[in-house]
Every structure is written in C-alpha cells, then in structure tokens.
Amino acid sequence: QKGCMGLVQGNGSGWVRGGFPTLPQPLHGLCPTAAAGKVEVSMLPVVEVELGEKARIECNFSIPGNGSYSIINWFYVERHDRVKMCSVLPGELLEENPSYKGRLSVGQDNSLSISRVTVQDARPIVCQVVSDDHGVGENSTELRLYTAPCPDPSVPLQIATCVSRNSFPTPNITWYKNGEQLHMDNKVKVSETVTRESSWLYTVSSSLFASVTREDRSSLFHCAVHYWLPGQQRTMESQNVSVTVFYPAEHVTLLVLPSPALVKEGDNVQLVCKADGNPAPMFSFYKRELEDTWQDLSSLADANSGVLTLHDVNKSSSGLYKCQALDLDDMEQLEKDVELVVNYIEGVSVKMEPSSPLWEGDSVRLSCSADSPLTLDFHWRDAKGKKVAEGQQLLLSNLTFETSSNFSCRVTAQSVPGLEKSKQVAVAVQGKPRIVSISSPLYVRQDEVVNLTCKAIAFPRPSVQWNINGTTHEYMENQHIASNLTVRVDHKLLQAGAMCRVTNVLGTSEKHIQLLDHKTPESKGVIIVAIIICILVVAVLGSVIYFLHKKGKIACGRAGKQDITKPEARKDKIVVDVKSDKLSEEAGLLQGANGDKRPAADQVGQSDVRC
C-alpha cells in the first residue's frame, strides 16, 4: 500500500505535520492598507485545497478615483524572504519562477490560480498591486493543503478468511497463492481459531495476512480444507480471490491513435498517455512551441483518463507533444513525448499551355502540381468523373466544341489512404457556331402548325434567329443550344421554306429548312374505291350469267370450228353443245361472259366453245 502524508503546512523553519504555527512577524505588507488615498487590497486569510487540485487565490483591490493598476506582483514567503512567482500586466502574465512553470493562470477578476498544487505550495501568498498615481498596496493569503492518510505498506494486510463449519475431527486449513502453498514467514501470517459447537462438531476459521507488492496485482489466493473420513483424507478448495494493490507509477507511455504514420489533414487524433501505477496518476499535456517553450493543453484533455483529443488536425498541428504523469502520493513526476506528423497535400494547381484562347483543331497541355512531403500520384478525370489519364500532364489534341469540358486533377498519396486533393480547370474551345442538326426536309400541309428545330454548338454561347415569325423556345442540351420555332404553314412559307441563323461574336452560320407539301390521301382513296366497285360489278355480272345458264336461258356448245353465224341455227335460241368436262364448261362460261375468245392454251381440254 502507498504511504500518504497527512496535513502539511509551511512556516519559517521548514515543513511540519499537524498544527498551524503563526506567521513569522513582522512581515511587511501582510495587513490591509487603509491609508487615505492609497491602494487598498483585501484577501481571504486562508485558502484550503486538496493535494493535486487547483488553488484559486483572490486579490480584491480598490484604487481611489477608479484608477487603474500598472502591475500586480505575486510572491510566496519562504524563511522570512519573499520570492516572486509572477507579474501581471493588463492582459499579460509574466512567469518568473521555474517551480510554477505552466501551473499559473490569472482570471478576469485578477485572481491567481495554481494548478496541481504540491506540498511545497503550502505557504503564504502575497498579492501586491502597484498604481502609478496612488502607490502600492498588498495583502496575503495562507495556502493550506490536505490529503487523506493511507495504510502503511510494510504492515501485512488481511487478504481473506477461510471458515470450515461442523466437521469432526478438527480439519486443517492451508493457503495458496497462484496455486502454490504459502508458508508462514515475516511476510505471511496466518491466524486460526477453533470453536467447538454445542453439537461437539468443530468450526475452524483461518485468516491470511500478507505483505503485497505491485507483482501481486494479478495474484489469486485460495484456501483448502483437509478433513478425514473413514480410512481416507479428503480436500475441499475455495474459490480464488484477488486483492487490489496500490503502487506508484514507474513507466509512462504516450501513443498516437489511430496510427502515427497515417494521420492526415482533417483527422481526429487521440494522444493516449498511460502509466503503470495504481491508482492512475494525473496527466498533463503540452506541445512544444518556438524557442523551446511549451503550450499547456491540459484544459483540452481528460486528466483522469489521460486522453487528449485533437479535432480536425492540419499541418500546423504537427510537432512534439509531451505527457506528464504526476503521482499525488509521492509527488513523483514522469513524462513521455511523441512527435506528431500530420500528412498533407497543399498548393494543388493546374497550368494550361497555351493559355491563349483555344480554337477547334488546336491542342492543349494541362500540367498539375502539388506540395507534400509524400510521394504523390496524379489522375485526370473528365466532367462525368471518368478517368482519362494518369501522370502530371494531360494532352488534348484536335480540340472540338465537344471536347470543351471541366477536367479535374486528383492528387493522392498511396502511403496514406484517404489523403487526396483535387483541382478543376475548364477547357473552352472557341469558334463560330456550327449547326449540327435541323429538321429538313420537313413534310407539311398548308395551315398546319409545325415545330421547326435548329441545333448548334459554339463558344462563346451563340444566339439563334429565324427569318420568319413564330413562337420560339431556346434551351441547352449537352453543350448544344437548340431552338424550336412553332409556326403555322401558309403558301408563302411552303414555297420559300425557313432559315435558321446562329451567331456569336466570332461568326455566323445558317442553314435552310425545306418544307415539302404532303399530298392528301384522297386521290388514292378514290382509285381504291373505283377498283373495289369494278370487282363487285364483274362479280355480279358473272353471277347473273351463271344463273341464266343454269336456268337454260343461255346455251353454249362446241362443234369444232363451227361459226356462230351458222344459218341452220335458230337465231331466237341459244344452243350449247358441251363435249368436255365441267371445267371446260366453266371456261366456256367465262368466254361468254367476257365476250373475248381465250387462247387455246388457256382452255381446258383444248376444245372450242361457242356461246
């Protein structure tokens, strides 16, 4: 266990325990100054604080006529002598005593705060206020420190008690540490009591006392009860128990998380200070500034857990950081430092050669550069995010309006994942407009409302004009400018067409839109209807002839090369002589119906038919 100091207090002859002797007298300036027209200073007689905490000492003063002070001096008294601690100018603290280095701060009310007070700080503190017009006033406060006592580590402590109840005969109890039996010596004591109960059975209680060290912080103790049964001895063991050991720190470590080699701009970094003492000491953090001075960062850290968190670090966050571990028991102070390196990429720039205006057909070279202590990789991407090249340079040849785009140079460092910066540059190709699409030729009808479209590309952005009146709508589409003209078709427009003219400061382009008369389908419909009517007429006529034939009103016959005007035939009767099959009959009917004689090759059976 740790030894701890009791109440301590300083006097003119050194440090004492216990009581509070009076201050050495006389001590100039310890009484309030009350003379008229003088600076008056008032302070609390005593300020009490626990060891290791922050002491706040107030210094209240008044200056006639609401005057201002020129300087405030703080002293402590040791062996009847004053030793300056610091001086306070308006808005500035001047530390002059190395024993208080980094522990002093002044509030807006001119109070003095001493952080992490030690036993050496238990002494009178003097506040002296100096005014150029009203002289000097001063007063003092006695700073008293306290800390709780701790057991003496040289005295064996009770580790555990083992109790065996209701056994006969009396059992034996042995103690073990980490599985090995303990034997009594000057560091291990065992106290044992045996009680015979009213039942004549025995209760045995054994208490283990031992001196422990830091090595026992993970030790496990248990007891074993050895008892007898007929013809045999048996053993019953208890559960393991551990003890809490307090010991001062011997080593301290300072770690950078997540990893000191992978810290990049924008990260949140933790500096973790660890000590091997129990309880953990109080931790303070500092960063080295110019001229070997140290900036106190303790207010940003958790003094109990020993963690300092740096948010959104940048290049200026790099430097040497120090952790101090103060053991409040023996006032031993250990420290450890670590170098924090914040990896960065800065000054990303893109140079375009030539820098003069670019025209269609030209070539341009883009060069990317950046500053960093790391090895860098360069990648080029277009406006859609597509990777187009690697390396510090990008060459674009035979430029066109379509080439015009925003290109970005992305700079990364493979050794530090996630570290990257980028720079964007616009490549603008200039030239007079180029019409890429028009709605020509366009089939229209007179009096119809139509949309005429003209699409062009150019830089600077052109304007679109039409040679006829109408309603226009202009919009951008993938670097192209498009114009829609809504107009009603008349005879003049149908004959002359429309003209689209695209103009910018570098020139003009124009194209003619031809309008063609779209014939109505009426004439075609009439022809189709006429054909259908003719087919129906022929069909009806054929049906009538066939019907008359079946009724015997029409006679058809075949007699070689018989003449239809043969005188023997009666003119009032039609005689049909058929000597072929049915198909020949149908052929004869068709001949009679059409009134034309079909070729011999088209007649079935090569027969002559006469109707």
Side-chain angles (χ1 to χ4, degrees):
Q1 303 286 339
K2 282 175 139 184
C4 298
M5 294 291 293
L7 179 64
V8 293
Q9 185 250 339
N11 65 2
S13 59
W15 305 105
V16 298
R17 302 175 185 265
F20 299 92
T22 58
L23 289 172
Q25 298 293 335
L27 182 61
H28 175 70
L30 291 183
C31 298
T33 58
K38 297 282 187 175
V39 178
E40 295 185 3
V41 180
S42 61
M43 301 177 68
L44 293 175
V46 176
V47 173
E48 298 177 338
V49 65
E50 290 189 28
L51 192 68
E53 299 297 326
K54 178 184 287 188
R56 183 174 177 272
I57 304 172
E58 295 183 357
C59 180
N60 300 312
F61 58 88
S62 62
I63 300 175
N66 293 326
S68 60
Y69 70 91
S70 58
I71 189 170
I72 300 177
N73 297 314
W74 289 90
F75 304 89
Y76 67 83
V77 180
E78 185 175 25
R79 301 178 188 272
H80 301 281
D81 295 326
R82 293 189 185 189
V83 180
K84 180 176 283 191
M85 300 167 61
C86 66
S87 297
V88 179
L89 298 175
E92 184 179 5
L93 173 64
L94 304 176
E95 296 184 356
E96 298 185 10
N97 196 302
S99 62
Y100 289 94
K101 190 75 171 179
R103 296 197 296 139
L104 300 180
S105 61
V106 177
Q108 294 183 351
D109 58 352
N110 299 310
S111 61
L112 179 68
S113 295
I114 306 174
S115 61
R116 304 185 302 279
V117 294
T118 66
V119 292
Q120 288 82 4
D121 297 328
R123 47 199 171 193
I125 306 296
V126 178
C127 174
Q128 182 186 77
V129 181
V130 180
S131 172
D132 292 338
D133 299 328
H134 300 279
V136 178
E138 62 183 33
N139 209 330
S140 69
T141 289
E142 184 179 343
L143 181 60
R144 296 178 182 177
L145 306 182
Y146 298 86
T147 185
C150 297
D152 188 342
S154 63
V155 178
L157 300 176
Q158 182 175 347
I159 303 299
T161 298
C162 186
V163 179
S164 171
R165 302 181 186 278
N166 300 326
S167 63
F168 191 90
T170 306
N172 293 329
I173 297 179
T174 55
W175 287 94
Y176 297 84
K177 172 184 173 180
N178 297 329
E180 296 184 1
Q181 185 175 349
L182 293 174
H183 301 282
M184 287 192 295
D185 54 23
N186 59 342
K187 293 185 178 181
V188 178
K189 305 294 182 183
V190 176
S191 175
E192 186 173 282
T193 61
V194 180
T195 304
R196 189 176 68 178
E197 307 292 346
S198 59
S199 61
W200 294 86
L201 301 178
Y202 291 100
T203 296
V204 179
S205 177
S206 177
S207 297
L208 173 65
F209 297 84
S211 299
V212 294
T213 63
R214 70 169 55 238
E215 286 74 21
D216 293 317
R217 60 187 181 275
S218 57
S219 296
L220 298 176
F221 298 85
H222 77 277
C223 69
V225 178
H226 308 280
Y227 61 96
W228 287 265
L229 290 178
Q232 58 182 334
Q233 185 183 33
R234 294 190 177 181
T235 300
M236 182 184 300
E237 295 186 345
S238 70
Q239 295 180 345
N240 290 323
V241 296
S242 60
V243 293
T244 301
V245 183
F246 296 100
Y247 46 89
E250 293 182 346
H251 304 92
V252 63
T253 59
L254 183 57
L255 304 176
V256 178
L257 298 178
S259 171
L262 300 178
V263 177
K264 63 181 181 299
E265 284 188 314
D267 284 350
N268 294 331
V269 179
Q270 285 188 332
L271 301 182
V272 181
C273 193
K274 295 182 178 180
D276 58 357
N278 188 32
M282 294 189 64
F283 298 100
S284 303
F285 290 89
Y286 303 89
K287 181 187 178 186
R288 186 170 66 183
E289 300 291 339
L290 298 176
E291 299 179 359
D292 204 25
T293 59
W294 292 88
Q295 178 188 3
D296 190 354
L297 303 177
S298 301
S299 60
L300 305 178
D302 187 341
N304 297 320
S305 65
V307 177
L308 171 64
T309 301
L310 304 176
H311 297 280
D312 195 20
V313 297
N314 52 39
K315 178 183 177 181
S316 62
S317 303
S318 299
L320 186 66
Y321 289 80
K322 178 174 66 176
C323 165
Q324 288 183 347
L326 176 65
D327 193 304
L328 300 180
D329 232 2
D330 54 14
M331 303 312 295
E332 287 289 333
Q333 184 170 278
L334 303 174
E335 63 181 42
K336 188 72 174 179
D337 56 48
V338 66
E339 186 77 27
L340 175 64
V341 177
V342 179
N343 297 293
Y344 64 91
I345 299 174
E346 64 180 8
V348 180
S349 62
V350 177
K351 182 180 180 182
M352 184 165 59
E353 296 176 332
S355 58
S356 57
L358 301 174
W359 305 89
E360 282 198 301
D362 287 351
S363 297
V364 65
R365 185 185 304 275
L366 304 179
S367 300
C368 186
S369 61
D371 297 327
S372 176
L374 306 170
T375 301
L376 301 178
D377 296 321
F378 297 85
H379 309 275
W380 294 91
R381 297 181 183 273
D382 60 16
K384 297 181 180 180
K386 180 181 178 182
K387 185 177 178 180
V388 295
E390 293 185 356
Q392 287 188 254
Q393 293 187 343
L394 172 64
L395 179 62
L396 302 174
S397 302
N398 194 20
L399 296 174
T400 63
F401 290 130
E402 288 76 11
T403 311
S404 298
S405 178
N406 291 327
F407 292 87
S408 63
C409 171
R410 181 168 169 261
V411 187
T412 60
Q414 290 186 358
S415 58
V416 183
L419 178 61
E420 67 174 60
K421 288 287 183 69
S422 61
K423 184 70 174 180
Q424 194 175 81
V425 62
V427 176
V429 179
Q430 301 188 31
K432 75 173 188 176
R434 173 160 45 88
I435 298 176
V436 297
S437 174
I438 58 171
S439 52
S440 178
L442 183 64
Y443 289 90
V444 297
R445 299 184 184 92
Q446 194 159 334
D447 293 330
E448 181 184 9
V449 177
V450 295
N451 286 326
L452 306 181
T453 301
C454 182
K455 186 183 294 185
I457 188 171
F459 185 82
R461 176 174 172 170
S463 61
V464 181
Q465 296 177 335
W466 297 87
N467 66 333
I468 56 176
N469 295 327
T471 303
T472 60
H473 171 60
E474 197 170 286
Y475 58 94
M476 293 298 296
E477 182 182 77
N478 296 332
Q479 304 183 47
H480 295 83
I481 184 170
S483 178
N484 287 341
L485 174 66
T486 303
V487 64
R488 182 178 297 276
V489 179
D490 55 18
H491 180 71
K492 180 179 178 182
L493 178 61
L494 191 59
Q495 285 187 337
M499 184 69 71
C500 168
R501 178 179 291 113
V502 185
T503 304
N504 68 3
V505 296
L506 300 177
T508 300
S509 294
E510 57 184 19
K511 280 193 175 181
H512 180 262
I513 297 179
Q514 182 182 9
L515 301 180
L516 300 178
D517 190 8
H518 188 69
K519 298 295 185 180
T520 61
E522 297 177 359
S523 57
K524 293 182 179 179
V526 171
I527 296 175
I528 293 174
V529 171
I531 294 174
I532 293 174
I533 293 175
C534 292
I535 293 174
L536 292 176
V537 170
V538 172
V540 171
L541 182 59
S543 299
V544 171
I545 294 174
Y546 182 74
F547 176 76
L548 294 176
H549 165 68
K550 287 295 185 180
K551 292 293 185 178
K553 301 297 183 179
I554 300 177
C556 297
R558 193 182 80 182
K561 296 181 179 179
Q562 190 175 9
D563 192 353
I564 196 171
T565 59
K566 189 174 181 180
E568 314 70 294
R570 293 180 55 181
K571 294 184 180 179
D572 57 344
K573 292 184 179 181
I574 299 176
V575 179
V576 179
D577 185 9
V578 179
K579 292 185 179 181
S580 63
D581 54 14
K582 189 176 179 180
L583 292 176
S584 300
E585 177 184 341
E586 292 176 359
L589 289 174
L590 290 175
Q591 177 185 2
N594 293 328
D596 297 329
K597 187 176 181 179
R598 299 178 61 184
D602 295 338
Q603 298 179 12
V604 180
Q606 299 295 324
S607 59
D608 295 329
V609 179
R610 221 167 21 100
C611 294

PDB file of all heavy atoms in Angstrom, residues 267-282:
ATOM      1  N   ASP A 267      -8.266  14.699 -39.872  1.00  0.00           N
ATOM      2  CA  ASP A 267      -8.494  13.590 -38.945  1.00  0.00           C
ATOM      3  C   ASP A 267      -8.711  14.102 -37.524  1.00  0.00           C
ATOM      4  O   ASP A 267      -8.288  15.202 -37.159  1.00  0.00           O
ATOM      5  CB  ASP A 267      -7.314  12.622 -38.952  1.00  0.00           C
ATOM      6  CG  ASP A 267      -7.303  11.740 -40.184  1.00  0.00           C
ATOM      7  OD1 ASP A 267      -8.304  11.742 -40.927  1.00  0.00           O
ATOM      8  OD2 ASP A 267      -6.293  11.046 -40.415  1.00  0.00           O
ATOM      9  N   ASN A 268      -9.349  13.269 -36.714  1.00  0.00           N
ATOM     10  CA  ASN A 268      -9.398  13.457 -35.270  1.00  0.00           C
ATOM     11  C   ASN A 268      -8.382  12.502 -34.653  1.00  0.00           C
ATOM     12  O   ASN A 268      -8.453  11.293 -34.877  1.00  0.00           O
ATOM     13  CB  ASN A 268     -10.795  13.175 -34.719  1.00  0.00           C
ATOM     14  CG  ASN A 268     -11.820  14.175 -35.214  1.00  0.00           C
ATOM     15  OD1 ASN A 268     -11.490  15.327 -35.492  1.00  0.00           O
ATOM     16  ND2 ASN A 268     -13.065  13.765 -35.312  1.00  0.00           N
ATOM     17  N   VAL A 269      -7.444  13.053 -33.910  1.00  0.00           N
ATOM     18  CA  VAL A 269      -6.321  12.275 -33.379  1.00  0.00           C
ATOM     19  C   VAL A 269      -6.404  12.255 -31.863  1.00  0.00           C
ATOM     20  O   VAL A 269      -6.736  13.269 -31.229  1.00  0.00           O
ATOM     21  CB  VAL A 269      -4.979  12.876 -33.838  1.00  0.00           C
ATOM     22  CG1 VAL A 269      -3.807  12.087 -33.260  1.00  0.00           C
ATOM     23  CG2 VAL A 269      -4.904  12.887 -35.360  1.00  0.00           C
ATOM     24  N   GLN A 270      -6.100  11.100 -31.294  1.00  0.00           N
ATOM     25  CA  GLN A 270      -6.048  10.953 -29.838  1.00  0.00           C
ATOM     26  C   GLN A 270      -4.620  10.676 -29.399  1.00  0.00           C
ATOM     27  O   GLN A 270      -3.950   9.796 -29.961  1.00  0.00           O
ATOM     28  CB  GLN A 270      -6.961   9.826 -29.362  1.00  0.00           C
ATOM     29  CG  GLN A 270      -8.436  10.160 -29.382  1.00  0.00           C
ATOM     30  CD  GLN A 270      -9.278   9.081 -28.718  1.00  0.00           C
ATOM     31  OE1 GLN A 270      -8.913   7.919 -28.690  1.00  0.00           O
ATOM     32  NE2 GLN A 270     -10.419   9.472 -28.169  1.00  0.00           N
ATOM     33  N   LEU A 271      -4.159  11.436 -28.419  1.00  0.00           N
ATOM     34  CA  LEU A 271      -2.900  11.162 -27.745  1.00  0.00           C
ATOM     35  C   LEU A 271      -3.258  10.506 -26.414  1.00  0.00           C
ATOM     36  O   LEU A 271      -3.893  11.130 -25.551  1.00  0.00           O
ATOM     37  CB  LEU A 271      -2.108  12.445 -27.527  1.00  0.00           C
ATOM     38  CG  LEU A 271      -1.728  13.244 -28.784  1.00  0.00           C
ATOM     39  CD1 LEU A 271      -0.905  14.464 -28.395  1.00  0.00           C
ATOM     40  CD2 LEU A 271      -0.950  12.373 -29.760  1.00  0.00           C
ATOM     41  N   VAL A 272      -2.869   9.247 -26.253  1.00  0.00           N
ATOM     42  CA  VAL A 272      -3.250   8.457 -25.083  1.00  0.00           C
ATOM     43  C   VAL A 272      -2.017   8.257 -24.216  1.00  0.00           C
ATOM     44  O   VAL A 272      -1.027   7.649 -24.650  1.00  0.00           O
ATOM     45  CB  VAL A 272      -3.853   7.100 -25.497  1.00  0.00           C
ATOM     46  CG1 VAL A 272      -4.257   6.309 -24.261  1.00  0.00           C
ATOM     47  CG2 VAL A 272      -5.054   7.319 -26.411  1.00  0.00           C
ATOM     48  N   CYS A 273      -2.086   8.782 -22.992  1.00  0.00           N
ATOM     49  CA  CYS A 273      -0.985   8.672 -22.029  1.00  0.00           C
ATOM     50  C   CYS A 273      -1.362   7.610 -20.992  1.00  0.00           C
ATOM     51  O   CYS A 273      -2.438   7.681 -20.384  1.00  0.00           O
ATOM     52  CB  CYS A 273      -0.734  10.024 -21.368  1.00  0.00           C
ATOM     53  SG  CYS A 273       0.812  10.122 -20.461  1.00  0.00           S
ATOM     54  N   LYS A 274      -0.480   6.632 -20.810  1.00  0.00           N
ATOM     55  CA  LYS A 274      -0.735   5.549 -19.870  1.00  0.00           C
ATOM     56  C   LYS A 274       0.446   5.400 -18.921  1.00  0.00           C
ATOM     57  O   LYS A 274       1.602   5.545 -19.327  1.00  0.00           O
ATOM     58  CB  LYS A 274      -0.977   4.227 -20.605  1.00  0.00           C
ATOM     59  CG  LYS A 274      -2.228   4.213 -21.465  1.00  0.00           C
ATOM     60  CD  LYS A 274      -2.425   2.859 -22.116  1.00  0.00           C
ATOM     61  CE  LYS A 274      -3.706   2.824 -22.943  1.00  0.00           C
ATOM     62  NZ  LYS A 274      -3.912   1.495 -23.583  1.00  0.00           N
ATOM     63  N   ALA A 275       0.123   5.111 -17.663  1.00  0.00           N
ATOM     64  CA  ALA A 275       1.142   4.860 -16.651  1.00  0.00           C
ATOM     65  C   ALA A 275       0.820   3.536 -15.967  1.00  0.00           C
ATOM     66  O   ALA A 275      -0.350   3.106 -15.926  1.00  0.00           O
ATOM     67  CB  ALA A 275       1.206   5.992 -15.639  1.00  0.00           C
ATOM     68  N   ASP A 276       1.857   2.872 -15.422  1.00  0.00           N
ATOM     69  CA  ASP A 276       1.661   1.559 -14.809  1.00  0.00           C
ATOM     70  C   ASP A 276       1.406   1.636 -13.314  1.00  0.00           C
ATOM     71  O   ASP A 276       1.581   0.654 -12.592  1.00  0.00           O
ATOM     72  CB  ASP A 276       2.872   0.656 -15.087  1.00  0.00           C
ATOM     73  CG  ASP A 276       4.173   1.256 -14.581  1.00  0.00           C
ATOM     74  OD1 ASP A 276       4.132   2.384 -14.066  1.00  0.00           O
ATOM     75  OD2 ASP A 276       5.220   0.597 -14.709  1.00  0.00           O
ATOM     76  N   GLY A 277       0.993   2.790 -12.790  1.00  0.00           N
ATOM     77  CA  GLY A 277       0.688   2.928 -11.376  1.00  0.00           C
ATOM     78  C   GLY A 277      -0.781   2.682 -11.092  1.00  0.00           C
ATOM     79  O   GLY A 277      -1.633   2.730 -11.974  1.00  0.00           O
ATOM     80  N   ASN A 278      -1.085   2.420  -9.837  1.00  0.00           N
ATOM     81  CA  ASN A 278      -2.467   2.237  -9.400  1.00  0.00           C
ATOM     82  C   ASN A 278      -2.633   2.907  -8.030  1.00  0.00           C
ATOM     83  O   ASN A 278      -1.938   2.548  -7.084  1.00  0.00           O
ATOM     84  CB  ASN A 278      -2.813   0.755  -9.304  1.00  0.00           C
ATOM     85  CG  ASN A 278      -4.297   0.541  -9.048  1.00  0.00           C
ATOM     86  OD1 ASN A 278      -5.131   1.318  -9.484  1.00  0.00           O
ATOM     87  ND2 ASN A 278      -4.614  -0.501  -8.304  1.00  0.00           N
ATOM     88  N   PRO A 279      -3.511   3.899  -7.914  1.00  0.00           N
ATOM     89  CA  PRO A 279      -4.372   4.422  -8.989  1.00  0.00           C
ATOM     90  C   PRO A 279      -3.573   5.206 -10.016  1.00  0.00           C
ATOM     91  O   PRO A 279      -2.427   5.568  -9.773  1.00  0.00           O
ATOM     92  CB  PRO A 279      -5.349   5.307  -8.236  1.00  0.00           C
ATOM     93  CG  PRO A 279      -4.591   5.760  -7.049  1.00  0.00           C
ATOM     94  CD  PRO A 279      -3.715   4.608  -6.643  1.00  0.00           C
ATOM     95  N   ALA A 280      -4.213   5.448 -11.153  1.00  0.00           N
ATOM     96  CA  ALA A 280      -3.528   6.171 -12.220  1.00  0.00           C
ATOM     97  C   ALA A 280      -3.188   7.584 -11.761  1.00  0.00           C
ATOM     98  O   ALA A 280      -3.967   8.221 -11.043  1.00  0.00           O
ATOM     99  CB  ALA A 280      -4.401   6.223 -13.466  1.00  0.00           C
ATOM    100  N   PRO A 281      -2.051   8.107 -12.152  1.00  0.00           N
ATOM    101  CA  PRO A 281      -1.676   9.466 -11.767  1.00  0.00           C
ATOM    102  C   PRO A 281      -2.493  10.494 -12.544  1.00  0.00           C
ATOM    103  O   PRO A 281      -3.303  10.158 -13.417  1.00  0.00           O
ATOM    104  CB  PRO A 281      -0.197   9.534 -12.131  1.00  0.00           C
ATOM    105  CG  PRO A 281      -0.053   8.563 -13.250  1.00  0.00           C
ATOM    106  CD  PRO A 281      -1.023   7.452 -12.983  1.00  0.00           C
ATOM    107  N   MET A 282      -2.277  11.762 -12.252  1.00  0.00           N
ATOM    108  CA  MET A 282      -2.899  12.845 -13.007  1.00  0.00           C
ATOM    109  C   MET A 282      -2.029  13.165 -14.219  1.00  0.00           C
ATOM    110  O   MET A 282      -0.795  13.208 -14.114  1.00  0.00           O
ATOM    111  CB  MET A 282      -3.066  14.088 -12.135  1.00  0.00           C
ATOM    112  CG  MET A 282      -4.053  13.902 -10.997  1.00  0.00           C
ATOM    113  SD  MET A 282      -4.414  15.463 -10.161  1.00  0.00           S
ATOM    114  CE  MET A 282      -5.208  16.364 -11.496  1.00  0.00           C
TER     115      MET A 282
END
